[in-house]
Amino acid sequence: MKEHIKNNLMSFFIIVTLVNIAIFICGIVLAPDEKLDYTAFIVPVIDGLLGVIPGLIMYSKRELTVKQMIVREIIQLLSIELIILLFSVGFTGVSNVDPTRLIAIALSVALVYVGVVVIMYLLDFRTAKKMTDDLKAFQKTNK
């Protein structure tokens, strides 16, 4: 459980960073003349919190098969898309929201999600490689 919380905390900070980049890129492309106020600084933090909710809820103590892991990742992505879209455009509906904005939000959420998965994989891979190298060095010294 402690490792799961640590992973979600790392995911939170990665999400916040990637959301900042996504807001910057979308802002430059879709609204280059618009200026942000101080309340805009809290948006990535809120998005980060909303983005880790499915990961916290879908915790499993047992080891998942590859197929189960893929299904879980798809469910998490769809959950995060729904949560972020509802909080971004409001609960009143999407009928009065600019379709370009909706597409930009949905695409940004998907790209941020993929970015988080890739970064977490690379961090885990690096940790596993270091542990393997340390184990090999330990085995050589104890022969």
Side-chain angles (χ1 to χ4, degrees):
M1 183 67 163
K2 184 179 176 182
E3 186 70 23
H4 179 66
I5 292 172
K6 180 183 165 189
N7 284 340
N8 278 289
L9 192 60
M10 283 188 356
S11 292
F12 168 78
F13 288 111
I14 295 168
I15 290 169
V16 170
T17 302
L18 294 177
V19 167
N20 273 317
I21 294 168
I23 288 173
F24 172 76
I25 292 170
C26 288
I28 294 291
V29 172
L30 299 175
D33 297 329
E34 198 170 315
K35 301 295 179 208
L36 299 176
D37 59 2
Y38 289 113
T39 57
F41 288 109
I42 198 69
V43 171
V45 176
I46 293 170
D47 285 346
L49 290 172
L50 295 173
V52 296
I53 289 172
L56 290 170
I57 293 172
M58 297 180 76
Y59 173 68
S60 174
K61 288 183 181 181
R62 66 181 181 86
E63 190 73 26
L64 300 176
T65 65
V66 174
K67 184 178 179 181
Q68 290 171 329
M69 188 62 95
I70 291 170
V71 169
R72 174 194 233 161
E73 294 290 333
I74 291 169
I75 291 171
Q76 278 186 267
L77 174 59
L78 294 174
S79 301
I80 292 169
E81 286 278 4
L82 182 64
I83 291 168
I84 298 295
L85 283 172
L86 284 174
F87 275 86
S88 295
V89 300
F91 294 96
T92 58
V94 295
S95 59
N96 57 353
V97 178
D98 179 26
T100 306
R101 182 172 178 233
L102 278 179
I103 292 169
I105 292 170
L107 189 60
S108 296
V109 169
L111 290 174
V112 166
Y113 185 81
V114 169
V116 170
V117 170
V118 168
I119 291 169
M120 292 294 286
Y121 172 79
L122 292 174
L123 290 172
D124 289 344
F125 182 79
R126 187 181 75 186
T127 302
K129 184 170 177 9
K130 183 178 178 341
M131 289 173 64
T132 301
D133 293 344
D134 289 348
L135 183 58
K136 285 179 182 177
F138 177 75
Q139 289 174 337
K140 283 183 182 177
T141 60
N142 287 339
K143 281 190 178 180

